[in-house]
C-alpha cells in the first residue's frame, strides 16, 4: 500500500489552499531533541505563545507554512491527560501525522479524489476538534486521509459519501478556541486500515504500539512530496 500511495502523486501536492510551493515550507522540529525549544518551553506555554512563535519564524524565514512531526517524539502532549492518563508504558507521545502550521481559516484542499468517510468534533482537551476523514479508492483498494484541527463550519452541511475532488476546498483551519487549544495547524495523516473508527483515529502513539502504527500510518510525505 505504501508504494501505491507514493505512486499517486508525481510532485509536490498541497493540502492547503495557499499560493505556496515546496520552497515555501519551513521544517519545524517540535521533538524532545530540540534543545532550544526545551530550554524555552516556559515561554511557549499557551497556544497564543505558539502562534506568535510560528509567526515569528515566518517573518524571519520568509516562508509561508511550517511543517513537521511525522514519528516525532514530543513533550507537548504532557499537558493533556487525554494522552497520559493511562499506565506509563502506554503514554502516547509519538506523532503519527504531518502537521502543517498556517494561520486560522487557511483553506484545506483534497490532495486526491475521494469521498467523505466520516467526520466528528473530537472535544477532549488537546484533541483534534473538528475532523474529517476522506476515503480514496485506488485499484479497488481503499486508504484514508485524516484532517484534524478544522473550523466548526468545516463539518457543517457534510454527508458521509459526499464526493470531494482533487484540489477542492472542503474545510478550513480552526483557531485555538475550537481546535483542541493549539496554534492553528492541519494534522494530516494517512491511514491504511481504519477498522471501525469514524471521525477519529489515533494521531499519537505510545512506543509500545509504534511498530503497528508506523505500518498502518505511513509518512504523509509519500503523497505530499514536500521534502
Ligand atoms: Zn498533529
Amino acid at each position: 500500500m505504501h508504494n501505491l500511495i507514493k505512486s499517486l502523486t508525481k510532485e509536490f501536492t498541497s493540502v492547503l489552499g495557499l499560493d505556496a510551493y515546496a520552497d515555501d515550507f519551513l521544517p519545524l522540529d517540535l521533538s524532545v531533541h530540540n534543545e532550544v525549544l526545551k530550554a524555552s518551553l516556559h515561554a511557549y506555554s499557551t497556544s497564543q505563545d505558539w502562534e506568535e512563535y510560528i509567526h515569528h519564524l515566518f517573518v524571519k524565514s520568509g516562508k509561508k507554512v511550517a511543517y513537521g512531526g511525522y514519528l516525532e517524539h514530543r513533550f507537548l502532549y504532557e499537558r493533556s491527560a487525554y494522552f497520559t492518563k493511562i499506565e506509563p508504558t502506554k503514554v502516547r507521545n509519538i506523532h503519527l501525522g504531518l502537521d502543517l502550521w498556517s494561520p486560522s481559516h487557511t483553506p484545506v484542499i483534497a490532495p486526491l479524489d475521494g469521498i467523505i468517510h466520516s467526520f466528528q468534533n473530537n472535544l477532549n482537551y488537546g484533541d483534534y476538534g473538528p475532523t474529517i476523514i476522506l476515503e480514496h479508492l485506488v485499484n479497488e483498494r481503499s486508504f484514508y486521509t485524516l484532517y484534524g484541527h478544522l473550523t466548526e463550519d468545516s463539518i457543517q452541511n457534510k454527508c458521509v459519501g459526499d464526493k470531494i475532488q482533487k484540489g477542492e476546498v472542503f474545510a478550513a483551519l480552526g483557531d485555538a478556541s475550537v481546535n483542541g487549544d493549539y496554534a492553528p495547524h492541519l494534522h494530516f495523516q494517512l491511514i491504511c486500515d481504519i477498522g471501525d473508527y469514524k471521525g477519529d483515529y489515533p494521531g499519537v502513539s505510545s512506543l509500545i504500539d509504534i511498530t503497528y502504527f508506523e505500518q498502518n500510518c505511513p509518512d504523509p510525505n509519500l503523497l505530499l512530496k514536500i521534502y
Side-chain angles (χ1 to χ4, degrees):
M1 184 54 98
H2 297 196
N3 284 335
L4 176 65
I5 293 172
K6 190 177 176 185
S7 73
L8 296 175
T9 54
K10 299 285 173 247
E11 56 195 1
F12 167 73
T13 299
S14 193
V15 282
L16 296 177
L18 290 174
D19 185 22
Y21 300 89
D23 281 353
D24 298 311
F25 282 59
L26 175 74
L28 176 61
D29 176 4
L30 295 180
S31 77
V32 292
H33 306 296
N34 184 338
E35 295 299 331
V36 176
L37 205 57
K38 214 159 48 172
S40 56
L41 191 59
H42 63 278
Y44 303 115
S45 54
T46 69
S47 50
Q48 200 183 344
D49 294 333
W50 281 103
E51 199 169 340
E52 284 168 16
Y53 172 68
I54 289 161
H55 179 71
H56 165 76
L57 292 178
F58 290 155
V59 171
K60 206 170 78 171
S61 65
K63 307 282 184 181
K64 297 179 180 170
V65 179
Y67 73 91
Y70 180 62
L71 298 187
E72 194 167 72
H73 179 189
R74 292 176 168 179
F75 47 74
L76 61 90
Y77 299 111
E78 287 166 17
R79 67 181 187 149
S80 169
Y82 178 59
F83 299 101
T84 59
K85 63 188 172 190
I86 34 180
E87 65 261 45
T89 55
K90 284 274 193 177
V91 167
R92 297 192 295 135
N93 52 17
I94 304 172
H95 187 253
L96 297 170
L98 184 72
D99 284 334
L100 299 164
W101 304 83
S102 186
S104 61
H105 300 287
T106 298
V108 176
I109 61 178
L112 298 169
D113 290 348
I115 62 164
I116 294 186
H117 168 268
S118 53
F119 54 91
Q120 180 170 294
N121 196 352
N122 295 293
L123 290 167
N124 291 294
Y125 179 66
D127 206 338
Y128 294 130
T131 308
I132 297 175
I133 297 174
L134 301 184
E135 177 174 357
H136 309 279
L137 184 64
V138 183
N139 298 346
E140 298 181 359
R141 295 173 74 187
S142 282
F143 74 97
Y144 305 83
T145 50
L146 180 148
Y147 307 80
H149 310 301
L150 305 174
T151 58
E152 289 176 332
D153 278 356
S154 300
I155 57 171
Q156 300 299 315
N157 305 315
K158 293 268 189 313
C159 292
V160 168
D162 281 352
K163 282 187 182 163
I164 305 285
Q165 288 186 332
K166 177 175 175 156
E168 182 179 337
V169 174
F170 68 97
L173 296 191
D175 63 24
S177 70
V178 298
N179 77 357
D181 192 25
Y182 293 99
H185 69 286
L186 177 68
H187 176 100
F188 176 73
Q189 185 170 328
L190 299 174
I191 304 165
C192 295
D193 177 3
I194 201 162
D196 294 330
Y197 282 96
K198 289 194 167 50
D200 192 17
Y201 190 84
V204 184
S205 171
S206 62
L207 188 58
I208 221 166
D209 294 328
I210 194 63
T211 309
Y212 169 76
F213 280 117
E214 202 175 347
Q215 271 306 307
N216 201 44
C217 301
D219 187 344
N221 198 54
L222 288 178
L223 198 59
L224 303 189
K225 298 182 171 64
I226 296 167
Y227 52 92

